[in-house]
Amino acid sequence: MRFKANTRRRALEYEKDLVQYWKKNKTFEKSVKMRSTDNAYVFYDGPPFITGSPHYGSLLPSIVKDAVPRYQTMKGKRVERVWGWDCHGLPAENFVEKKLGITDRHDIGTKISLEDYIVTARESMVQTSSTWETTIDRIGRWVEFEGGYKTMDKDFMESVWWAFKELYEKGKIYEGERVLMYDTVWATPLSKAEVTMDAGAYQIVTDPSVYTKFKLKDEDVSLLAWTTTPWTLPGNTALAINKDIKYVEIEIDGEHMIMAKDNLDKVLTDIKHNVLDYKIVRDIKATDLINKSYEPLFDDRGKNAHKIWLADYVTTESGTGIVHIAPAYGEEDFTLAKENDIPIVHVLDEYGKYTETEWIGENIWDVNKTIAKTLNERGIVWKIDYIRHEYPHNPRTGNRLIYRAHPSWFMDIDSQRTEMLEKNSNNINWFPEHIKHGRFEKTIQTAPDWNLSRDRFWATAMPVWKGTDEDGNELVKVVGSYAELKKLSGVELEDYHRPWVDDITFEIDGVKYQRVDKVLDCWFESGSMPFAQFHYPFENVEKFEKNFPGDFIVEYVGQVRAWFYYVHAINIGLFGHNAFKNVIVTGNIAGNDGFKMSKSRGNFTDPNELMDKFSADSLRFMLLSSPLLNGEDFTLHDKEVSDIARKLSMIWNMYDFFTMYAEVDKWEFNGDLSDPSDLLNNSLDQWIISRLHQLIGQVEKNMDVYDIPNAVKPILPFVEDASNWYVRRSRRRFWKSEDDADKNNAYHTLHYVLVKLSQILAPFTPFLADELYQKLTGGESVHLLDWPIAGRVNELEVERMEIVRTVVNESLSKRSKEGMKIRQPLAKLEIELHGYTADFNDGYMDIIKDEINVKEVSLRYFETVDNKNAILLKLDTVITPELKSEGISREVIRHIQSARKQAGLNIDDRINLTLIAKGKDLTESISHYNKIIKSETLAVSLSNVETFDFVSNVNINGAELIVSLKKS
């Protein structure tokens, strides 16, 4: 295979061409099929919401999901990659309702039928898929879109039904009532993990905080309780105190109140926080207050209501040491009420509107301040403060949440908590490692039982039917398959969504069963993905069980508390085993101003625009090498992508250099890509091959433990070594070497390095890698190759070259400090090596001489002191007339070479050259170094009279020089 110069293409051109090339040649499919099914590598693709659009946050995990499978494929694994779509849940409903103009849940079933709503939802779920496919192609990710699963698909939902029934029959799912985070706009509970998966769910808000007086019955004294949620006061049914707190009765402005002694001066203050005049009447023990009754603020809630109870969670950190209890709207309140048979009173409907009191029909957030002010005017509230505090919001919608007791179905996490912790500790590799026993372990340790049911519409219908027998007993039937449902009801559906599944009823022993009108949390579907994507256990049983648990998953840090957790919980519950073996957790990407990326802020460049400008490979490489892959947050600046593009371009500079000289010399690639180490004599060749083998080993070692940042880290330093040291130092061997064997070795070495580099780059920069590989070998695709073998590393050559480069860098630094141009030769460099034993041949000495531009190098060895190696240098900076003259000749050669380029000559073109010098030193230097000047510039003649069409006027050390030349 011969090579031709100037065949390099722009990244934008070859990246888009390669997407089509891969599709046309089915390169992805070939890369999978050529690997044995007995050597499978399974990775779970956390699906994006189909209603969303691709952005940097979704592109980052997609890039990792491409790099790791590509690497594992090159390691011989069969890595099937099938796309998935998350179609259900609040984001999808939000999308649909905006489309339909729905602003109230009651609109569904009135303004639009539930059937039309669901049909619209299904149709809406495919609208943005083409945008995703185009963008995923653009970043070079290989994944099979055709046949990708959707969580709304009939088969997927059936597997979810099966999982629900399995867990129910194992005693892991139960029905109950608990206080849950609740979205009053969407009228549905949420799981705590879902809310807390991202930073920002808890937002700072300003609310009235009130000190409310609860008057004891038959006594002229009130208990003073503090709350930051005045809207809960209509639901009050108890007060709580702590037996370890010291209480007092105080008198202030003629009123008698009871509160914690330690908090007097913090509470009894005016608007300027000055302590008011008060009098302590008496000390009171908590035991003296227990079971006392107080007058209700609103309606009397009946038996066992409006009493004082003990609760360990009451403290004096804030407030009065007395807590107002509204069991329907507080987790701890609800538990206390259940344990003591305290009435639990709901005063709100599912939309957060009052169903009683004078504010009936009003939304809590509209009247929260009004309630505080009204009760203050009535003398029930002693004083009002305003407090800034964190309050939970729905991360999907931005709606403010409340805590609300709600009947739901739960998965019993507590019963399997120990097993979940053990499987994580023993079986899962996390990168970064600290998340294993940090965020993930703590999530498991503190997770409440998971509320699985949602009072919504567009989701997998919960497969629970209920009936009531003649004695009034409630009976439950959980269905685990469509076949089971057909056997019970005789009905088979094309679509098992609401409302059609709601209409299915059946009888068992004379009892009629009706489906409960709840749907499943979409995270239950996401957690079922490992098996539901295969329609397990109805199909693909062997395929799933043979490849479970999966080898790898990746998502951003928010999914530690969400998808990773739910997958772990469901699969531990079902199979008693962790579902995945290796996890990569990425950080969050911020816009160029450090804030969350936002179109309204304009703080990021559109991904497609950025890739078109700098290349998809540059974006990939930058993200893979960024702190994001260490789980840290990162601010994305375009300049960083630009910097990577510039550094990667060094590879193409080497390619240009290689093809330019290979075309001139007609050097051909014979198809041999074997390691040439044993055939090489030149120290530079041996060194760069050893560095290449080092690189292969470093990348492999880190990729095998999912440490992508450290896998990518040594690549650009190697490119720098190859370009700015190996190629630059070997340049004369390509164009002027009189040793044909040495020149051939130089070609062979550079070609081998570039081809192997394309293989190393293949997982990370797939476009550049394939373009480079195809141009250098004529092969079909680098992505059909195995991972390169890390051959022998000549440690001695590596050490020698490291010393040489250190000597060169430090010597050049000395020259720079002395203000001496590099083209000015110096007489001598003395080197002292303390603690080094590596011997140096003439080739290394020649490198040092040439790089530093000295006539002589002396080298001496010394034993080290305190085991600390050192390199000491002494540079002779005295410039003799002879050295000055040679320096001038070097400047002349530089200007001639520049003139050759300006004249558009090829590197091997011979020239007729004229140099007309003005100045004695310049004239004498040209005369003295006549032969060297001609040799270095490929001049067949050198005149000081005749001028040609091309003329250039330059200045050397203040003397004028006219350079004129033409092709010979």
Side-chain angles (χ1 to χ4, degrees):
M1 175 184 175
R2 287 194 173 184
F3 299 96
K4 187 171 180 59
N6 302 315
T7 52
R8 171 183 182 176
R9 296 195 292 173
R10 293 175 59 237
L12 180 61
E13 182 182 356
Y14 68 69
E15 285 184 347
K16 293 192 173 182
D17 279 358
L18 280 170
V19 168
Q20 300 308 315
Y21 173 86
W22 291 336
K23 288 179 181 293
K24 180 181 177 181
N25 291 277
K26 297 189 178 298
T27 313
F28 167 42
E29 293 80 355
K30 288 178 184 177
S31 74
V32 174
K33 291 177 181 177
M34 65 191 295
R35 314 296 181 182
S36 170
T37 54
D38 294 328
N39 193 25
Y41 179 92
V42 178
F43 107 95
Y44 298 147
D45 189 356
F49 274 103
I50 198 169
T51 53
S53 58
H55 53 84
Y56 288 105
S58 55
L59 293 183
L60 171 62
S62 258
I63 289 167
V64 181
K65 291 170 188 178
D66 188 61
V68 172
R70 283 185 186 274
Y71 172 75
Q72 292 294 338
T73 298
M74 295 181 79
K75 294 280 284 186
K77 298 288 186 179
R78 183 184 180 97
V79 191
E80 297 180 3
R81 284 153 268 180
V82 179
W83 189 264
W85 293 112
D86 206 344
C87 304
H88 286 148
L90 287 181
E93 290 196 4
N94 195 17
F95 181 86
V96 173
E97 293 179 15
K98 283 182 179 178
K99 182 177 180 180
L100 294 173
I102 292 174
T103 57
D104 191 307
R105 187 174 189 264
H106 291 299
D107 290 345
I108 303 169
T110 54
K111 290 185 178 179
I112 183 173
S113 69
L114 178 55
E115 181 174 341
D116 288 341
Y117 177 89
I118 298 299
V119 169
T120 303
R122 175 176 283 283
E123 291 173 349
S124 299
M125 292 306 104
V126 296
Q127 289 184 354
T128 61
S129 60
S130 60
T131 302
W132 274 94
E133 290 187 35
T134 300
T135 307
I136 293 302
D137 281 345
R138 184 69 187 90
I139 64 168
R141 182 182 174 188
W142 277 357
V143 63
E144 182 60 58
F145 276 100
E146 188 175 345
Y149 70 87
K150 297 183 182 69
T151 56
M152 67 180 183
D153 287 345
K154 183 178 177 181
D155 288 350
F156 193 99
M157 292 196 301
E158 186 174 28
S159 292
V160 172
W161 276 20
W162 168 82
F164 186 93
K165 181 174 183 177
E166 283 287 303
L167 292 169
Y168 179 79
E169 292 185 343
K170 288 173 178 279
K172 292 179 179 287
I173 288 181
Y174 64 91
E175 186 180 16
E177 184 177 28
R178 291 194 174 197
V179 171
L180 307 168
M181 287 185 173
Y182 189 89
D183 188 326
T184 56
V185 177
W186 293 92
T188 190
L190 303 170
S191 67
K192 183 176 288 187
E194 181 179 9
V195 173
T196 59
M197 64 181 287
D198 285 316
Y202 282 82
Q203 299 177 22
I204 299 294
V205 296
T206 300
D207 279 325
S209 68
V210 298
Y211 293 84
T212 306
K213 296 181 290 185
F214 294 84
K215 184 179 179 302
L216 289 175
K217 281 190 175 180
D218 304 322
E219 296 185 43
D220 193 19
V221 62
S222 299
L223 277 77
L224 192 64
W226 179 67
T227 180
T228 60
T229 54
W231 63 266
T232 63
L233 288 171
N236 172 270
T237 58
L239 295 175
I241 61 175
N242 189 313
K243 61 179 174 50
D244 297 322
I245 294 176
K246 295 178 181 179
Y247 294 92
V248 291
E249 177 184 340
I250 59 102
E251 180 183 356
I252 184 169
D253 293 333
E255 288 190 276
H256 287 249
M257 294 185 291
I258 295 171
M259 59 176 291
K261 188 173 186 178
D262 290 345
N263 291 36
L264 291 173
D265 289 349
K266 291 189 291 185
V267 173
L268 303 176
T269 61
D270 61 18
I271 193 170
K272 295 182 178 179
H273 305 293
N274 297 315
V275 178
L276 299 169
D277 290 333
Y278 65 87
K279 173 184 173 184
I280 297 177
V281 177
R282 61 186 173 116
D283 292 328
I284 301 176
K285 294 180 181 179
T287 51
D288 294 336
L289 296 172
I290 298 170
N291 289 326
K292 282 197 172 189
S293 296
Y294 61 89
E295 295 178 0
L297 299 183
F298 295 89
D299 293 341
D300 190 322
R301 301 304 182 178
K303 182 182 177 182
N304 222 29
H306 313 301
K307 292 184 178 181
I308 302 170
W309 304 86
L310 286 178
D312 291 338
Y313 61 83
V314 178
T315 71
T316 56
E317 290 182 7
S318 59
T320 65
I322 300 170
V323 174
H324 126 75
I325 304 297
Y329 307 111
E331 290 180 278
E332 293 171 318
D333 297 11
F334 184 82
T335 301
L336 182 69
K338 282 292 187 181
E339 290 172 350
N340 296 284
D341 199 27
I342 300 170
I344 299 170
V345 177
H346 284 274
V347 296
L348 305 172
D349 68 9
E350 67 268 35
Y351 291 100
K353 295 180 179 180
Y354 284 97
T355 55
E356 54 180 79
T357 74
E358 62 198 86
W359 300 288
I360 190 167
E362 297 282 352
N363 181 274
I364 53 170
W365 301 122
D366 294 337
V367 296
N368 192 31
K369 292 180 181 179
T370 302
I371 291 172
K373 290 177 180 178
T374 301
L375 296 181
N376 185 49
E377 291 167 359
R378 294 175 183 173
I380 295 172
V381 165
W382 180 68
K383 77 169 181 176
I384 302 174
D385 285 337
Y386 282 87
I387 185 173
R388 284 172 56 81
H389 63 145
E390 287 189 334
Y391 206 89
H393 289 67
N394 185 342
R396 300 293 193 189
T397 63
N399 300 330
R400 191 168 177 176
L401 303 175
I402 65 171
Y403 286 89
R404 182 178 190 265
H406 193 78
S408 293
W409 288 74
F410 297 88
M411 180 173 173
D412 181 4
I413 297 299
D414 197 50
S415 67
Q416 64 180 48
R417 195 182 310 276
T418 299
E419 190 175 12
M420 289 172 69
L421 290 168
E422 288 176 350
K423 296 300 184 185
N424 172 54
S425 183
N426 298 331
N427 297 352
I428 304 177
N429 168 54
W430 289 81
F431 190 87
E433 196 271 340
H434 67 82
I435 291 176
K436 177 174 187 161
H437 295 297
R439 182 181 292 229
F440 193 65
E441 186 172 283
K442 287 178 173 57
T443 297
I444 298 172
Q445 288 172 339
T446 59
D449 285 355
W450 175 12
N451 63 303
L452 301 175
S453 54
R454 298 288 181 269
D455 300 300
R456 297 302 301 171
F457 312 103
W458 176 240
T460 299
M462 205 166 73
V464 177
W465 276 255
K466 284 186 177 181
T468 304
D469 65 16
E470 58 185 12
D471 296 325
N473 298 314
E474 185 178 74
L475 304 176
V476 175
K477 179 64 177 177
V478 176
V479 176
S481 70
Y482 302 146
E484 181 184 0
L485 184 59
K486 182 179 180 180
K487 185 176 180 180
L488 289 167
S489 65
V491 178
E492 185 174 8
L493 298 175
E494 281 300 312
D495 188 339
Y496 285 84
H497 282 98
R498 299 187 68 188
W500 305 285
V501 71
D502 297 344
D503 297 333
I504 298 178
T505 61
F506 51 82
E507 287 190 7
I508 302 176
D509 298 329
V511 176
K512 183 178 179 180
Y513 286 76
Q514 178 80 43
R515 198 190 74 82
V516 299
D517 62 349
K518 293 182 182 290
V519 296
L520 281 169
D521 177 9
C522 65
W523 288 107
F524 191 83
E525 298 171 346
S526 301
S528 301
M529 169 263 169
F531 54 87
Q533 65 173 325
F534 297 117
H535 193 209
Y536 178 89
F538 308 102
E539 294 181 76
N540 302 306
V541 172
E542 182 181 358
K543 181 173 185 176
F544 167 71
E545 294 179 353
K546 184 179 179 181
N547 296 303
F548 181 85
D551 293 286
F552 169 63
I553 57 175
V554 57
E555 286 296 340
Y556 83 109
V557 66
Q559 298 292 2
V560 172
R561 291 195 182 108
W563 188 52
F564 296 158
Y565 168 75
Y566 292 122
V567 170
H568 194 61
I570 288 178
N571 288 273
I572 291 289
L574 287 172
F575 308 112
H577 204 288
N578 50 289
F580 45 84
K581 300 175 186 175
N582 299 283
V583 192
I584 290 178
V585 181
T586 74
N588 292 291
I589 307 179
N592 52 39
D593 57 359
F595 291 94
K596 183 178 180 181
M597 288 187 173
S598 165
K599 288 183 179 179
S600 61
R601 294 183 71 95
N603 61 351
F604 68 96
T605 303
D606 178 85
N608 285 294
E609 181 183 336
L610 192 67
M611 288 187 284
D612 285 352
K613 185 175 182 180
F614 298 119
S615 82
D617 282 329
S618 299
L619 176 62
R620 285 174 63 114
F621 197 95
M622 189 278 295
L623 291 174
L624 292 173
S625 58
S626 74
L628 289 162
L629 269 293
N630 284 314
E632 301 171 26
D633 293 348
F634 177 72
T635 299
L636 177 62
H637 294 283
D638 294 2
K639 182 181 181 301
E640 292 176 331
V641 182
S642 172
D643 288 344
I644 294 295
R646 177 177 51 79
K647 292 174 182 178
L648 289 176
S649 70
M650 289 190 291
I651 298 170
W652 288 116
N653 293 341
M654 288 190 284
Y655 169 82
D656 287 342
F657 174 86
F658 171 80
T659 53
M660 179 172 62
Y661 286 103
E663 181 181 26
V664 170
D665 285 335
K666 298 181 173 53
W667 188 87
E668 295 187 34
F669 168 53
N670 62 6
D672 180 14
L673 286 174
S674 60
D675 182 357
S677 298
D678 294 338
L679 306 174
L680 304 175
N681 299 314
N682 190 291
S683 298
L684 278 167
D685 294 341
Q686 294 176 7
W687 169 75
I688 195 63
I689 295 294
S690 291
R691 282 285 290 114
L692 176 72
H693 292 164
Q694 273 186 334
L695 177 65
I696 294 170
Q698 289 169 336
V699 176
E700 184 173 27
K701 175 185 175 182
N702 287 294
M703 284 299 290
D704 285 347
V705 294
Y706 297 85
D707 184 350
I708 293 180
N710 279 320
V712 173
K713 186 177 180 179
I715 292 176
L716 290 181
F718 173 82
V719 171
E720 177 81 19
D721 283 354
S723 176
N724 291 337
W725 190 254
Y726 176 76
V727 170
R728 187 172 60 79
R729 287 301 321 156
S730 298
R731 186 179 299 273
R732 293 175 65 88
R733 299 169 62 202
F734 285 90
W735 74 271
K736 199 178 178 182
S737 175
E738 296 178 1
D739 182 346
D740 288 342
D742 182 62
K743 177 182 280 194
N744 184 66
N745 283 346
Y747 276 118
H748 194 170
T749 298
L750 183 54
H751 182 268
Y752 176 79
V753 167
L754 289 174
V755 172
K756 292 303 173 183
L757 183 59
S758 75
Q759 290 178 257
I760 297 167
L761 289 168
F764 314 113
T765 57
F767 296 109
L768 186 157
D770 217 9
E771 176 80 352
L772 185 63
Y773 174 78
Q774 291 180 27
K775 286 188 173 299
L776 288 171
T777 68
E780 181 177 349
S781 175
V782 71
H783 302 296
L784 300 179
L785 303 183
D786 289 340
W787 182 253
I789 296 172
R792 181 176 64 87
V793 176
N794 188 326
E795 299 289 353
L796 183 58
E797 292 289 358
V798 172
E799 182 187 7
R800 284 170 173 163
M801 197 64 75
E802 183 178 347
I803 295 171
V804 168
R805 297 183 75 185
T806 301
V807 168
V808 168
N809 289 334
E810 292 185 6
S811 298
L812 292 176
S813 178
K814 287 179 178 292
R815 288 192 66 125
S816 178
K817 288 178 181 178
E818 295 291 335
M820 293 183 173
K821 293 181 179 180
I822 189 60
R823 290 183 182 82
Q824 173 58 61
L826 298 178
K828 187 176 182 179
L829 171 68
E830 295 178 9
I831 306 170
E832 292 183 6
L833 297 182
H834 293 258
Y836 292 97
T837 59
D839 57 325
F840 294 87
N841 58 33
D842 291 342
Y844 288 106
M845 294 300 101
D846 289 341
I847 291 174
I848 294 173
K849 288 179 184 178
D850 195 42
E851 285 289 313
I852 304 171
N853 198 4
V854 295
K855 310 303 289 184
E856 181 184 346
V857 175
S858 68
L859 178 62
R860 291 189 295 169
Y861 295 88
F862 295 87
E863 291 186 4
T864 184
V865 178
D866 298 329
N867 294 319
K868 293 181 179 179
N869 293 1
I871 300 174
L872 301 180
L873 306 173
K874 183 178 180 181
L875 189 62
D876 185 351
T877 57
V878 176
I879 301 175
T880 65
E882 292 78 13
L883 291 173
K884 181 180 179 182
S885 181
E886 185 178 349
I888 292 172
S889 73
R890 298 274 184 102
E891 291 291 340
V892 171
I893 292 170
R894 178 174 72 89
H895 285 296
I896 297 170
Q897 300 291 29
S898 176
R900 286 180 59 99
K901 289 184 179 179
Q902 293 176 42
L905 298 175
N906 294 323
I907 58 168
D908 58 335
D909 285 343
R910 302 287 170 171
I911 62 171
N912 296 118
L913 174 65
T914 293
L915 298 175
I916 303 173
K918 297 181 180 180
K920 179 182 176 184
D921 289 346
L922 182 56
T923 302
E924 288 179 353
S925 178
I926 293 172
S927 175
H928 186 72
Y929 291 99
N930 180 289
K931 289 184 179 180
I932 292 176
I933 292 172
K934 290 173 64 177
S935 174
E936 291 291 325
T937 62
L938 299 185
V940 296
S941 66
L942 175 55
S943 166
N944 61 0
V945 178
E946 182 183 9
T947 57
F948 309 106
D949 289 342
F950 181 86
V951 178
S952 175
N953 292 285
V954 300
N955 189 287
I956 298 177
N957 296 343
E960 184 180 350
L961 175 66
I962 298 173
V963 179
S964 183
L965 54 81
K966 72 171 185 177
K967 183 177 178 182
S968 173

